[in-house]
Amino acid sequence: MSQNEYPGYLSKEEKLIPIDDPTGKWSELTLLPEWEEEFYDVYTVRKHGKWVMLKALKSQYASQPKYQQMLEKEFDTRYNLAHPNIVMVNDFEEVPGIGKAIITDDVYGYSLRRLIDEKRLTPKIVHRLKTQLLDALDYIQENHIVHHPITPDSIIFTEYNENLKLINVGYDQTDSLSEQDTEADIESYGRVLAEVLDNLPESLPRLRRIADRATSRSHPYRNFMDLQLDMQRRSSTTLYIVLAALIAIMLLLVWLLLDLK
């Protein structure tokens, strides 16, 4: 995308917001209502001509110390995360007209919520949920990150290669996760997967069973490693069946050729 192009993921509801910055550092500020949270607004903006994203407190909370500390704690947590499927946090600074904001890499793409609503799900997206999302959530749990539930609104797929990125992930870092925190992550993954499966034209029974297991109260998964192993076993089983069928066909062809001689 050229420096003069508007980001491809913006919807019709989003529009430029005037920003008074005589230094010229900040320009083309745009609110992204699709990605807002209870206490935060999310924006895209140019910083020194480069597109970045901002996460800042809504105006009604911006002057309250309680919420200011909450934003600072989230920055401290997210700044230490480094994973290819989690949007990278770069800085925490004052933005004219917005106040203190978390500055992150920009993501040229579309939320999973939007792709579901617009019926634009692809096999590659399903594959990313089976691999990249699981890997990112496993990383989050390994780093003892407590966060709000993962939803289709917090999952972004990049515009060109459909790579998965989680936004607004970090909330707080603890010495260890409780069993309830781990359960909540697994259940939220199951709910996301189930909603995607509900909106696919074809039936994927193996993935459906995993989604049902993840959201049930008696699921067998202690952590995401268990879930990944279950996903891999199911994929391996399919591969073994295909290989066995190919071997059987080859043996049959060999037998026919020998019989013709």
Side-chain angles (χ1 to χ4, degrees):
M1 189 171 81
S2 73
Q3 286 291 309
N4 294 320
E5 272 186 303
Y6 206 55
Y9 53 72
L10 299 183
S11 68
K12 294 179 180 178
E13 291 135 5
E14 295 149 359
K15 58 184 179 181
L16 287 170
I17 298 171
I19 184 168
D20 184 15
D21 180 23
T23 69
K25 178 179 179 180
W26 304 97
S27 62
E28 298 187 55
L29 178 70
T30 305
L31 179 66
L32 306 177
E34 181 180 352
W35 297 339
E36 71 173 336
E37 300 179 41
E38 182 178 1
F39 303 110
Y40 304 112
D41 283 326
V42 179
Y43 306 81
T44 186
V45 68
R46 284 184 191 243
K47 178 184 177 183
H48 295 303
K50 177 183 176 181
W51 288 108
V52 296
M53 294 180 79
L54 310 179
K55 181 176 181 178
L57 291 167
K58 291 179 180 291
S59 57
Q60 61 266 40
Y61 305 114
S63 61
Q64 300 182 42
K66 170 186 174 182
Y67 298 105
Q68 291 171 351
Q69 291 171 9
M70 185 171 69
L71 184 64
E72 290 175 13
K73 180 183 285 188
E74 176 162 344
F75 168 74
D76 289 340
T77 301
R78 294 183 64 188
Y79 190 71
N80 292 314
L81 297 179
H83 190 278
N85 301 118
I86 298 175
V87 173
M88 182 69 72
V89 169
N90 300 320
D91 213 338
F92 185 58
E93 59 184 296
E94 191 79 22
V95 180
I98 299 299
K100 279 286 189 179
I102 295 173
I103 317 298
T104 74
D105 288 346
D106 200 8
V107 184
Y108 303 132
Y110 304 89
S111 71
L112 179 58
R113 167 63 57 214
R114 187 164 168 184
L115 294 172
I116 291 172
D117 291 345
E118 296 178 1
K119 302 186 185 305
R120 295 168 55 196
L121 297 172
T122 66
K124 185 181 284 188
I125 286 173
V126 176
H127 180 70
R128 301 297 197 221
L129 295 173
K130 291 165 53 181
T131 54
Q132 293 181 346
L133 181 56
L134 274 182
D135 192 50
L137 290 172
D138 185 46
Y139 173 83
I140 288 169
Q141 288 202 344
E142 283 183 353
N143 285 273
H144 308 147
I145 304 298
V146 179
H147 57 91
H148 297 298
I150 299 299
T151 68
D153 304 274
S154 57
I155 300 170
I156 307 299
F157 288 92
T158 56
E159 186 174 10
Y160 299 112
N161 53 17
E162 294 181 339
N163 276 326
L164 182 147
K165 298 282 185 179
L166 286 178
I167 62 171
N168 303 333
V169 170
Y171 176 67
D172 197 6
Q173 193 164 24
T174 63
D175 292 333
S176 62
L177 290 182
S178 69
E179 186 177 335
Q180 290 76 17
D181 293 329
T182 302
E183 289 283 335
D185 275 353
I186 291 171
E187 289 175 10
S188 66
Y189 174 79
R191 286 193 294 271
V192 168
L193 187 58
E195 184 172 356
V196 167
L197 294 172
D198 288 342
N199 287 274
L200 289 176
E202 68 273 23
S203 174
L204 300 174
R206 290 189 177 87
L207 275 185
R208 176 65 71 179
R209 280 194 289 272
I210 288 178
D212 290 344
R213 284 184 174 188
T215 53
S216 70
R217 292 183 179 179
S218 58
H219 68 70
Y221 309 126
R222 294 167 299 172
N223 49 47
F224 277 104
M225 182 62 72
D226 284 350
L227 206 158
Q228 285 174 317
L229 287 172
D230 193 14
M231 191 82 75
Q232 290 168 8
R233 277 196 298 270
R234 292 178 182 280
S235 298
S236 298
T237 300
T238 301
L239 179 60
Y240 293 149
I241 291 172
V242 171
L243 288 174
L246 288 174
I247 291 170
I249 292 170
M250 290 175 65
L251 290 173
L252 178 60
L253 290 173
V254 170
W255 180 81
L256 289 172
L257 288 172
L258 291 174
D259 190 53
L260 288 174
K261 291 180 181 179

